[in-house]
Amino acid sequence: MAAELNEKVKRYEVLLGAALEKARVAPIDRSHMYTVAMDYRTMATSYYNDGLHFMENDDPVNALVCFSYGHAWLDAGARLGLFDVDDDVLFTI
């Protein structure tokens, strides 16, 4: 069971990393929505980094939680139009 969990954690890490690379901020600079998009991106990036920290400290459960939450921030942002995305595997579009 631990091997399955570790595989899932690694898979979610890769998915969030790919989503962070693909999610392009859509609103124009200096707009309120640009600020919101940057906040969403910051949350996703923070969760990604926290997940890496938990992986390094042999805490796969919290790593998985972080990667899942981080991806949720990006996915929600894509649904709101904060991010310009075209990948229906990484995002719910």
Side-chain angles (χ1 to χ4, degrees):
M1 181 150 169
E4 292 175 14
L5 176 59
N6 289 332
E7 284 178 28
K8 190 171 192 175
V9 170
K10 186 62 181 169
R11 187 170 65 245
Y12 276 55
E13 177 207 349
V14 169
L15 286 172
L16 178 52
L20 281 165
E21 287 182 22
K22 286 196 169 194
R24 300 287 173 239
V25 173
I28 60 171
D29 292 352
R30 294 180 299 225
S31 70
H32 172 71
M33 294 309 288
Y34 178 85
T35 302
V36 173
M38 293 308 294
D39 286 346
Y40 273 55
R41 176 173 278 292
T42 297
M43 290 299 294
T45 302
S46 295
Y47 273 116
Y48 180 78
N49 291 329
D50 288 349
L52 294 176
H53 168 79
F54 285 121
M55 284 177 66
E56 290 171 2
N57 289 289
D58 286 331
D59 189 348
V61 172
N62 280 317
L64 182 59
V65 168
C66 288
F67 295 140
S68 298
Y69 279 31
H71 204 132
W73 278 96
L74 290 181
D75 203 35
R79 295 284 291 173
L80 289 169
L82 299 175
F83 302 113
D84 184 20
V85 297
D86 62 0
D87 187 328
D88 64 355
V89 173
L90 288 176
F91 301 97
T92 307
I93 54 174

